[in-house]
Amino acid sequence: TNISSNRNETKRNETTHIPKPLAQTMVPTAAAITLATHAVGNAIILYQIFSPLLEHDAIDMTHLDPSVIIDTAIPLKHLGHFLALSCILSIAIISGCQWATLTRNEIQEQSHKYLSLVNNNMILIGTAAVFAQCSFILCGINPMKLPIHTFISALYVTTITVLPITLSTPSGEVIASMQHGKSRVNYEAVVAYLFGPISNNINQSTQHKQQRQQQLYQRKVQRMHQYSTLGTLIGMCACAIFRVLDHGMQIQRYPMPIIIGATVGRVGGVLMTVLVTVTVE
C-alpha cells in the first residue's frame, strides 16, 4: 500500500511539472498579425473620423490666420468617438485572440479570472493615462489649456500600449500579481516588460521541448510589444514638430499631433516587428 501511494504521489508531482500546452502561448506569427490588425485598424478609424472634419474645416478656415487655425482645437465629440471606437476595436481583437488560443476546458477555468483582469486593466490604463498626461505637460503642453483634450489623448496612447500586452501570452501574467490572496496590478513588471532588457537565456536543461519552445515564443512576443511601444513613442516625438510650425495646417490642431504620431508610430513599430522578430531566431 505504501509503495502504491508513493507511486501515485510521484505521478501527481510529475503532472504538476508538465508545461502548459502551446495553445496558451500565442505563436509569434499570430501575435504579429494581431498587433498589425490592431495598429492598422486604429489608423483606419483615425482617417475615417478626422479626415472629413479636417477637410471641411480647411475650407471654412481658409481666410483665418495660421495661428488662429492652430489654436482651434479638435471638437471633443470627435475625440470621444475616436477613443470609443479604438477601445471597442482593441477589446474585440484582444478578447477574440485570448479565447481563440484556449480550449473549452481552459475557457471554463479562465473565465472566473476575466473580471479580475478587466479590473486590473482599467486600473493600469487609468494610472498610465495620468502619468502620460503629466509627461505631456512636462514636454510643454499647457496644463490649464484644454485639459480634457490632453487626458483623452493620454488615455488613447496608454490604451493602445497596455491592452495588447493582455494577449493570451505569458505577457498577460505581467499585468497582475497575487498579494495577500488578492490580484494586484504589478506596475514594475509592466514597465520592465515594455522597456526592460529581454532575456537571451533559453533553459536548455529543461526536460520538455515544449517548454523550451514556450520560452522562445515568450521572448519573441515580448520583443514585438517593445518594438510597438518604441514606435509609438518615436511617432509622438516626431510629430511634436507640428506644434512649433506656423503653417496653419489642420493636422497642427490640438491634439492631432499626439494622436497621429502615436497611431502612425505604432504602425511603423509593428511593421518593424513583423520584419525583424518573426524572421530572426
Side-chain angles (χ1 to χ4, degrees):
T1 304
N2 293 332
I3 295 176
S4 61
S5 61
N6 291 335
R7 288 178 179 177
N8 292 333
E9 185 176 356
T10 302
K11 289 182 179 180
R12 286 196 298 268
N13 291 335
E14 290 176 353
T15 303
T16 58
H17 291 289
I18 294 177
K20 297 179 181 179
L22 285 178
Q24 294 189 18
T25 302
M26 179 169 289
V27 296
T29 302
I33 293 174
T34 303
L35 289 174
T37 304
H38 178 245
V40 174
N42 280 314
I44 294 174
I45 294 174
L46 173 70
Y47 179 81
Q48 291 295 329
I49 290 183
F50 292 111
S51 179
L53 171 69
L54 298 182
E55 290 178 1
H56 178 270
D57 288 352
I59 298 175
D60 293 343
M61 296 181 177
T62 304
H63 63 285
L64 297 179
D65 186 80
S67 60
V68 176
I69 296 176
I70 296 173
D71 289 338
T72 304
I74 298 296
L76 282 174
K77 179 180 71 174
H78 290 78
L79 289 176
H81 289 168
F82 172 69
L83 179 63
L85 289 176
S86 176
C87 290
I88 292 173
L89 174 69
S90 301
I91 294 172
I93 292 176
I94 293 167
S95 298
C97 291
Q98 284 180 330
W99 299 122
T101 54
L102 297 176
T103 64
R104 181 176 300 179
N105 291 333
E106 291 164 354
I107 290 177
Q108 295 177 352
E109 294 176 358
Q110 297 294 329
S111 59
H112 70 281
K113 300 180 181 178
Y114 189 75
L115 183 59
S116 176
L117 178 63
V118 171
N119 182 54
N120 288 327
N121 276 331
M122 292 178 63
I123 295 174
L124 178 60
I125 290 174
T127 305
V130 173
F131 178 80
Q133 185 172 16
C134 294
S135 300
F136 293 162
I137 293 173
L138 291 176
C139 292
I141 300 297
N142 189 340
M144 305 303 297
K145 184 178 180 181
L146 304 173
I148 299 179
H149 288 69
T150 304
F151 182 74
I152 291 178
S153 304
L155 194 59
Y156 168 68
V157 172
T158 54
T159 299
I160 64 174
T161 302
V162 171
L163 276 183
I165 69 174
T166 62
L167 285 168
S168 184
T169 63
S171 60
E173 302 172 2
V174 171
I175 295 295
S177 61
M178 297 301 296
Q179 296 180 6
H180 305 293
K182 295 183 179 180
S183 179
R184 303 291 186 184
V185 178
N186 193 340
Y187 297 102
E188 294 182 1
V190 173
V191 173
Y193 184 83
L194 290 176
F195 303 103
I198 300 175
S199 175
N200 292 321
N201 297 324
I202 299 295
N203 190 0
Q204 301 296 337
S205 62
T206 303
Q207 296 179 357
H208 302 278
K209 180 180 178 180
Q210 193 177 67
Q211 194 171 6
R212 292 197 298 270
Q213 189 75 352
Q214 275 188 334
Q215 294 175 356
L216 179 61
Y217 284 176
Q218 290 176 23
R219 187 170 64 182
K220 284 191 173 185
V221 172
Q222 183 182 1
R223 183 180 290 113
M224 291 180 186
H225 290 305
Q226 290 193 351
Y227 280 20
S228 301
T229 303
L230 181 62
T232 303
L233 297 178
I234 292 176
M236 286 192 296
C237 292
C239 287
I241 192 174
F242 290 147
R243 294 183 58 247
V244 299
L245 298 177
D246 193 21
H247 295 168
M249 297 182 294
Q250 289 294 314
I251 58 175
Q252 290 181 264
R253 295 170 59 186
Y254 191 74
M256 290 308 298
I258 297 176
I259 294 176
I260 292 176
T263 305
V264 175
R266 189 162 190 86
V267 172
V270 170
L271 290 177
M272 184 185 301
T273 285
V274 173
L275 294 176
V276 177
T277 307
V278 177
T279 58
V280 300
E281 302 178 1

